[in-house]
Amino acid sequence: MESKTARLTLLIDPEKKKAFEALCAAQDLTPSQVVRQLIREYLKQHGVEYATKSKLGTPKAGHTK
C-alpha cells in the first residue's frame, strides 16, 4: 500500500452503500480496499501512470518517481 494517504469523500445512495458494505464483508474485504482496487483498475484501463512505492520502499515496476 502507498505510504501516504489522502481522503476521498463521495455521496452514495444509502441502500447502495448498505449493499456494498455487506458484499465487502462477505468477501472479507473493507470498502476502502475495494475502492482502492477499483481506482487502480480504472487508471490502468485508461493508461494512466502514477508514482507509488511498494512496501519495501522501492518504486513498483512500470511506475516512475
Side-chain angles (χ1 to χ4, degrees):
M1 185 165 47
E2 292 82 7
S3 59
K4 293 184 180 182
T5 60
R7 184 174 306 269
L8 175 67
T9 303
L10 60 103
L11 299 176
I12 186 171
D13 175 85
E15 291 302 315
K16 221 174 274 174
K17 179 180 181 280
K18 184 177 175 182
F20 178 64
E21 289 173 334
L23 178 57
C24 290
Q27 296 177 337
D28 197 28
L29 295 167
T30 66
S32 290
Q33 288 172 313
V34 175
V35 170
R36 283 191 297 268
Q37 181 62 36
L38 289 168
I39 291 171
R40 283 191 298 269
E41 290 172 4
Y42 188 74
L43 291 170
K44 183 177 179 181
Q45 174 186 352
H46 292 279
V48 176
E49 293 193 22
Y50 56 96
T52 188
K53 291 186 177 184
S54 71
K55 291 179 183 177
L56 299 176
T58 56
K60 287 185 178 180
H63 297 285
T64 58
K65 284 187 173 181

